[in-house]
Amino acid sequence: DGRPAANSMVMALAGDPTVAVSSRSISSAVDGKFSLTNVAPGRYTLIARGGGPGTVGLGDRMVFIAAPGGAPPGAPPPPPPPPPPGGATLYAEQEIDVSGEDIAGLSLTLQPGMTVSGRVVFEGRSSTPPPDIRQARVFLTNANPNRVTMGVPGAQLNETGSFVIEGVPPGQYRFSSSLAPGGAPGGAPGWVLKSAIASGRDTLDTPLDIRAGTNLESVTLTYSDQISEISGTLSDSKGTPISDLSILVFTIDRTQWGSSSSRRLRPPIRPSSDGKFSVTGLPAGEYYVGAVTDLEPGDWQDPAFLEQLAAAAIKVTLGDGEKKVQDIKIAGG
């Protein structure tokens, strides 16, 4: 409406995702003016968030963004900055190039974020009762590991299981939810998030793309009490249990290799002392199951490493809610 947007957060995010970079953030003054100092040359995205009452109160600070290979040793990436009090209901974004000279006269116009709405349903086949829907919340989390966002407040479910998330800036997101008191993302005992259907596709496998000016309706998050499992025993050729190797379970879909957020790509696990292992909550599909030694951190997300492992791994087809036993015997042990 042309009025100064006081107490909004303004952040300059570096546009090069290939290196670990730092960016500036500050709260705008009562007249809407802002000034970011000591900005190194490069291409940036200016992001403004506002709409909540009170002062953001973050001051002028540094925000570190991790490179795709992870943050530098000893410098794990911090959690995303919180949304302004009252919810990140307004946003503005603009690309700029910094060449070593001051830039003045920039104008950012805040506009309403998008609305994402839908419902949560439960598919129950067992005697496990669904959780209290009044305790459930639905969240949108950032699906781009190379981009820091302001965060989007979660939405409470009403008595019919419906939810409305307001003030969503453009970007790529994934759905998550909490079915227990406390509001932390996660499931509930005996239930697993099976699918999150938006615009005809399952956004648990591919990120949800929120575009400016386009609200998203009729999202359906489905929970199931049919929890799948791949389990087995790792042993040598004589049948002696092995517990000092790592078990990897990963999808045969190579397009998802390298994604840290894919639910079809699991971190390595170690068998127990009797060689037994178990991986639960996998969606239906085809998987490779393999045992490896000398596993370096991050290998399980490296497509080249997974390609080598796939050649010697066992292929397992898992149905919806199926529990499958697949023993692994190491030859020559």
Side-chain angles (χ1 to χ4, degrees), residues 41-85:
R43 187 165 183 81
Y44 293 83
T45 299
L46 276 181
I47 296 179
R49 298 286 186 267
T55 302
V56 177
L58 292 177
D60 191 4
R61 69 174 189 174
M62 301 298 290
V63 176
F64 293 92
I65 306 171

Side-chain angles (χ1 to χ4, degrees), residues 29-261:
V30 293
D31 57 1
K33 293 183 179 180
F34 64 91
S35 177
L36 300 168
T37 60
N38 299 321
V39 180
R43 187 165 183 81
Y44 293 83
T45 299
L46 276 181
I47 296 179
R49 298 286 186 267
T55 302
V56 177
L58 292 177
D60 191 4
R61 69 174 189 174
M62 301 298 290
V63 176
F64 293 92
I65 306 171
T89 58
L90 302 173
Y91 79 95
E93 296 188 8
Q94 180 177 328
E95 301 290 331
I96 61 169
D97 288 303
V98 179
S99 60
E101 298 179 355
D102 291 344
I103 299 177
L106 292 173
S107 179
L108 298 174
T109 301
L110 294 172
Q111 55 188 309
M114 275 52 73
T115 298
V116 176
S117 60
R119 65 191 183 114
V120 173
V121 298
F122 296 92
E123 288 183 354
R125 300 180 188 175
S126 68
S127 58
T128 304
D132 185 356
I133 204 168
R134 295 170 298 179
Q135 302 284 356
R137 292 178 64 84
V138 175
F139 303 89
L140 282 175
T141 57
N142 178 28
N144 187 343
N146 301 319
R147 184 181 178 90
V148 173
T149 67
M150 295 291 187
V152 179
Q156 191 79 37
L157 271 64
N158 64 18
E159 63 277 2
T160 67
S162 298
F163 65 88
V164 178
I165 303 176
E166 298 179 322
V168 182
Q172 291 187 322
Y173 298 89
R174 292 189 187 276
F175 281 104
S176 64
S177 64
S178 164
L179 299 183
W191 293 89
V192 64
L193 184 58
K194 175 183 176 182
S195 63
I197 306 299
S199 300
R201 63 186 181 88
D202 192 345
T203 58
L204 292 184
D205 290 325
T206 56
L208 175 67
D209 192 12
I210 300 296
R211 299 182 179 181
T214 304
N215 295 327
L216 184 62
E217 302 177 344
S218 303
V219 175
T220 302
L221 274 62
T222 301
Y223 273 87
S224 173
D225 61 357
Q226 301 300 299
I227 302 177
S228 62
E229 179 184 48
I230 295 178
S231 62
T233 301
L234 178 66
S235 62
D236 61 21
S237 59
K238 299 178 182 179
T240 304
I242 298 175
S243 60
D244 58 352
L245 299 183
S246 296
I247 302 293
L248 275 179
V249 178
F250 56 102
T251 176
I252 69 169
D253 182 2
R254 287 165 169 77
T255 63
Q256 297 196 41
W257 292 2
S259 172
S260 61
S261 59

Side-chain angles (χ1 to χ4, degrees), residues 263-331:
R263 60 183 179 147
R264 300 176 185 268
L265 183 65
R266 296 299 180 87
I269 61 172
R270 283 293 184 96
S272 57
S273 58
D274 57 2
K276 294 187 181 298
F277 63 89
S278 173
V279 177
T280 62
L282 292 164
E286 291 185 291
Y287 295 89
Y288 288 121
V289 181
V292 295
T293 184
D294 299 327
L295 190 65
E296 298 292 333
D299 278 350
W300 65 279
Q301 296 173 295
D302 183 358
F305 177 84
L306 295 180
E307 191 69 59
Q308 293 180 345
L309 181 58
I314 301 171
K315 185 182 291 187
V316 175
T317 300
L318 192 63
D320 187 22
E322 184 178 8
K323 300 183 185 300
K324 181 160 288 188
V325 176
Q326 178 60 65
D327 296 331
I328 303 176
K329 183 167 290 188
I330 304 299

Side-chain angles (χ1 to χ4, degrees), residues 18-32:
T18 63
V19 296
V21 297
S22 60
S23 298
R24 307 296 299 189
S25 66
I26 198 170
S27 176
S28 62
V30 293
D31 57 1

